[in-house]
Amino acid sequence: MTGALEKRGLHARWKGADYRLERKGSGWVLQTDRATAGFEKVAFTKHAPERFERKIDPTEKLECFRISHAGVYRRIAVELSPSNQGRVMAVTKDPRAPENGFDSFERDAWVKLIPADDRDLRITETRTPVPAPWLTAPGGRP
């Protein structure tokens, strides 16, 4: 998986750094894979990487955003998702896709697994600001 695509989803900025934002029980937490001041180590889970979390106070105001990825592969616009073995999954509705090695996915949509370092692939990360879910929605639902 590529580092860029691994960080897609909901995030928040705390003390100048970006962290994954996850709902946990009735509250929200910031998560990271590195030991970080202010974060507590999460109980060990077999076959899972180390994880550290910081509980968010229900009145805390943090800058929140959603990270997504799009790209261009051989002049075809694609939506990207992480895959395995150093690849990304590219999905497009461009009718030129089959002639560029894409397989039928859904009606009028095609998919292709592409090495993340393919020189024909250009990845663009988009950060879309979102309100802090624990401050805006009943029950903290995003």
Side-chain angles (χ1 to χ4, degrees), residues 14-138:
W14 183 68
K15 292 190 174 185
D18 298 341
Y19 298 97
R20 289 185 309 273
L21 180 58
E22 296 285 336
R23 184 169 180 79
K24 187 166 187 181
S26 62
W28 289 83
V29 297
L30 298 175
Q31 291 183 339
T32 183
D33 298 333
R34 295 188 194 118
T36 304
F39 285 67
E40 294 180 11
K41 187 173 182 176
V42 176
F44 175 77
T45 304
K46 191 175 183 179
H47 304 297
E50 271 192 324
R51 195 174 63 213
F52 301 85
E53 294 181 345
R54 178 190 171 276
K55 291 180 183 176
I56 297 173
D57 182 280
T59 61
E60 192 169 4
K61 295 180 180 177
L62 297 175
E63 174 188 349
C64 299
F65 49 94
R66 187 170 306 280
I67 295 178
S68 61
H69 298 93
V72 175
Y73 179 72
R74 297 182 181 168
R75 295 186 304 257
I76 296 172
V78 294
E79 291 298 318
L80 299 169
S81 296
S83 187
N84 58 11
Q85 299 175 350
R87 300 177 298 183
V88 296
M89 181 174 71
V91 178
T92 186
K93 293 192 175 205
D94 190 307
R96 298 173 295 161
E99 63 197 54
N100 283 280
F102 285 72
D103 296 317
S104 181
F105 178 59
E106 295 179 341
R107 181 181 174 154
D108 299 327
W110 294 271
V111 65
K112 181 174 182 162
L113 292 175
I114 302 171
D117 60 355
D118 189 306
R119 64 187 188 104
D120 291 331
L121 178 65
R122 302 289 177 259
I123 299 173
T124 302
E125 180 177 282
T126 302
R127 292 171 175 244
T128 305
V130 297
W134 61 91
L135 293 174
T136 59

